[in-house]
Amino acid sequence: MGYTVNDEEKNEQQVVGVVIDSSSEETSNPPRRTGFLEKLRTYEDALDRKLGVEAHSIQRKLPENRNRFYARWTGQLAMIGFWVGSCMNLGTFATGFLGWQLGLDLRQSILIIVFGSAAGSAVTSWCATMGAPTGLRQVSICRYSFGWYPAKVIAILNIVQEIGWCASGSITGGQALSAFSDGRIGAQVGVVICSVLSLVLSFFGLKAVYLYANFSWFIYLTMFLIIFGEVVTFGNLSAPPSVQGATGSGAALTFFGIMYGASACCAGYVSDFYVEYPANISKMKVFSFTFIGLYGSTVICAVSGAIAASALSNDQYWNEQYGVGIGFLVQAIVYPYGLAKFLLLLMMFASIGLNCASMYSVTLSIQQAAQSLAVIPRFIWTVVCFAAVIALGLAGSDRLLVYLQNFLSLLGYYSTAIFVCLITEHYVFRRGAFDNYNLEVWDKPAMLPIGYAAGPAFILGVVGAILGMATTWYTGVLAMLIGDRGGDIGNELCFLFSLIVYVPARFIEMRLVGR
């Protein structure tokens, strides 16, 4: 079934383009649970009844079954706190250093942080508006444009990305703990501690993730406002950029892509956090609250980092501490010494907000990647992801900035392609109304689009990204044309290629297939 269209005169829905594919290899009925898996499911159901661990987390949340907390104004304001609690951490602070690393001056870095983060936050905030009206997780929403099988690719990419975010958060948390202990405790120990605490919170599901964010966001906001207030007087506005002309333009484009990607990267899974909100909640409210929390926290942290980076050339002690670790630099910046120690301890816990949200969502992406994976309880996948995060966090703990640059530069590309397909499908083909989505068929492959439009659009978008990306390990053919080091235009090409392909291909798909 393609979609439904409202008949205003009869006040009922008409089903358009019914196509039943009885030969589908994958049906909506999950594999039969037997033996060991059945026992695990029984344990999960018992834990759900007693502790609320979300035993049926990827199922559609019907309006009548949603938590009433999210309907109150305190629950709705929690959207802001959720993003502040997740994004205000040492990793976001470190991202602000990348402009300096690329040769930009402080003014250029701040402008790019402000506008790059705004563009990326707008993408994530719009995708967030789809969660409450549908009651579906983001990968399941993608099935209405990508189809059943192509949406699995989104799930797989989400898995890679979210485990990477968890590792990044653990690395920065470990460095904060190491600085707090004056190096007596290695960063690797901090990685393990952050990962364990994140595992505990994500184990209990969305309710625990929101609960942690709601109690922590004000603390982390205050913490980074203190850091911003202490570092702002040391900003070096007189230092010129180390790259000029076309090379400088390329560096600016690359940093813009990084800041955009850091905020837009959640587009593939952001609705995972909104399924409990009322179905009739204002889309503008969801967009605004998400944007305020995500954009505000990113800008405050990243600008603080950019200011600190600009002062390194004028302060030998800061530069030496930065060489030891970014946590030691924070200790050098903040005065008095006791306050610096206290903030470093809090920074370790700040990383947990990012980690537990990502660790929670990645288990949902795993379950939506294949029905054979969905029968395995979510808490099992939480433990598996925890092991992966530990391994990656320990491996990358000594190369933080390189790790971040390589990782963040890739995040925006596929998120851009997802955004193009979702927003075009919603406004062009679904007429901007959720009534035109048949939400009953979210898990029925034969009644969803096949993906003849979104598949090629996504692939061509990735091709555009490859041609235009500029990273430390690869520079695309078109990116190399900008200056001596290249400039990242991967997101721009991805957006253009995806849009050009998707619109005509979707019209053809609907005419030929009817869904």
Side-chain angles (χ1 to χ4, degrees):
M1 183 183 299
Y3 57 92
T4 61
V5 179
N6 286 341
D7 187 335
E8 296 181 358
E9 294 181 359
K10 297 182 180 180
N11 193 28
E12 62 184 22
Q13 293 184 330
Q14 296 176 333
V15 180
V16 179
V18 177
V19 177
I20 303 298
D21 182 5
S22 59
S23 64
S24 175
E25 295 179 1
E26 193 164 356
T27 68
S28 61
N29 296 320
R32 180 178 176 84
R33 302 181 312 216
T34 58
F36 182 63
L37 285 179
E38 181 62 29
K39 285 186 177 181
L40 288 178
R41 279 294 191 183
T42 302
Y43 294 146
E44 186 183 40
D45 290 338
L47 287 172
D48 193 17
R49 288 192 299 270
K50 295 180 180 179
L51 303 174
V53 299
E54 295 189 30
H56 307 285
S57 49
I58 65 170
Q59 298 298 313
R60 182 183 167 221
K61 285 283 185 179
L62 298 177
E64 62 271 19
N65 295 333
R66 301 183 189 184
N67 193 323
R68 293 182 180 179
F69 164 77
Y70 299 93
R72 299 194 293 267
W73 68 269
T74 51
Q76 294 177 14
L77 282 176
M79 294 181 212
I80 300 176
F82 173 82
W83 291 103
V84 173
S86 298
C87 298
M88 282 200 141
N89 52 62
L90 202 55
T92 312
F93 178 76
T95 305
F97 283 73
L98 296 178
W100 171 70
Q101 288 276 313
L102 291 167
L104 303 174
D105 65 19
L106 180 56
R107 286 189 180 87
Q108 292 171 328
S109 294
I110 291 176
L111 285 173
I112 292 171
I113 289 169
V114 169
F115 290 103
S117 299
S121 297
V123 168
T124 293
S125 299
W126 184 87
C127 291
T129 64
M130 306 193 79
T134 62
L136 295 172
R137 312 292 179 166
Q138 198 76 59
V139 172
S140 295
I141 294 171
C142 287
R143 293 171 182 170
Y144 287 88
S145 52
F146 280 81
W148 182 266
Y149 294 101
K152 295 176 183 292
V153 177
I154 307 302
I156 294 169
L157 291 172
N158 284 348
I159 294 167
V160 174
Q161 179 190 155
E162 291 171 289
I163 289 178
W165 271 122
C166 288
S168 173
S170 296
I171 290 169
T172 54
Q175 291 203 344
L177 180 63
S178 178
F180 170 77
S181 65
D182 292 324
R184 289 189 294 271
I185 299 177
Q188 291 81 2
V189 176
V191 167
V192 174
I193 292 174
C194 288
S195 299
V196 170
L197 293 175
S198 302
L199 168 67
V200 172
L201 286 170
S202 60
F203 179 86
F204 290 102
L206 186 60
K207 183 179 179 180
V209 173
Y210 263 99
L211 186 65
Y212 177 82
N214 285 336
F215 279 102
S216 64
W217 73 267
F218 183 75
I219 297 173
Y220 301 143
L221 176 60
T222 303
M223 176 178 67
F224 274 98
L225 287 176
I226 291 172
I227 293 173
F228 180 81
E230 298 227 18
V231 77
V232 70
T233 57
F234 296 96
N236 187 357
L237 290 169
S238 61
S242 61
V243 288
Q244 305 284 344
T247 302
S249 298
L253 286 168
T254 299
F255 189 43
F256 183 92
I258 291 171
M259 293 311 306
Y260 166 84
S263 298
C265 63
C266 305
Y269 56 87
V270 61
S271 287
D272 294 0
F273 310 120
Y274 289 81
V275 294
E276 292 284 359
Y277 283 97
N280 61 351
I281 190 173
S282 166
K283 286 185 64 178
M284 182 55 68
K285 181 183 291 186
V286 173
F287 180 92
S288 300
F289 285 3
T290 302
F291 186 88
I292 291 169
L294 176 57
Y295 177 69
S297 57
T298 301
V299 168
I300 290 172
C301 291
V303 167
S304 298
I307 295 172
S310 73
L312 293 180
S313 57
N314 292 337
D315 194 310
Q316 183 179 355
Y317 178 65
W318 281 23
N319 201 26
E320 290 173 354
Q321 294 302 300
Y322 175 69
V324 177
I326 198 164
F328 290 90
L329 174 61
V330 172
Q331 182 173 273
I333 292 171
V334 178
Y335 181 85
Y337 183 76
L339 177 60
K341 286 292 188 183
F342 181 63
L343 293 183
L344 284 171
L345 181 61
L346 290 178
M347 279 188 178
M348 185 192 73
F349 292 101
S351 301
I352 297 170
L354 168 68
N355 281 22
C356 65
S358 298
M359 199 174 290
Y360 164 76
S361 181
V362 70
T363 60
L364 304 178
S365 292
I366 291 173
Q367 289 185 317
Q368 292 173 99
Q371 289 187 340
S372 58
L373 302 179
V375 300
I376 300 175
R378 190 184 66 83
F379 73 87
I380 297 296
W381 290 122
T382 302
V383 176
V384 172
C385 292
F386 163 75
V389 169
I390 288 287
L392 283 175
L394 294 177
S397 59
D398 294 327
R399 298 180 296 276
L400 176 61
L401 273 177
V402 175
Y403 179 89
L404 280 175
Q405 188 172 5
N406 289 340
F407 184 59
L408 290 175
S409 61
L410 300 176
L411 298 184
Y413 303 135
Y414 92 92
S415 299
T416 298
I418 292 172
F419 171 71
V420 169
C421 294
L422 288 180
I423 196 169
T424 306
E425 178 72 23
H426 185 69
Y427 288 110
V428 176
F429 300 100
R430 309 276 178 173
R431 305 177 188 176
F434 286 102
D435 290 338
N436 293 330
Y437 293 77
N438 187 346
L439 299 177
E440 301 299 324
V441 303
W442 69 273
D443 60 345
K444 296 177 174 58
M447 305 182 76
L448 292 165
I450 296 178
Y452 290 157
F458 187 83
I459 292 172
L460 266 294
V462 171
V463 170
I466 293 173
L467 293 174
M469 70 168 55
T471 67
T472 56
W473 53 274
Y474 173 78
T475 302
V477 175
L478 297 181
M480 285 192 296
L481 302 177
I482 305 174
D484 297 332
R485 304 177 186 173
D488 196 314
I489 53 173
N491 287 298
E492 293 85 345
L493 293 178
C494 180
F495 182 93
L496 184 63
F497 286 16
S498 298
L499 184 62
I500 290 175
V501 173
Y502 186 78
V503 174
R506 186 71 174 110
F507 276 114
I508 295 172
E509 180 181 26
M510 291 181 65
R511 180 175 290 265
L512 294 179
V513 182
R515 49 190 164 106

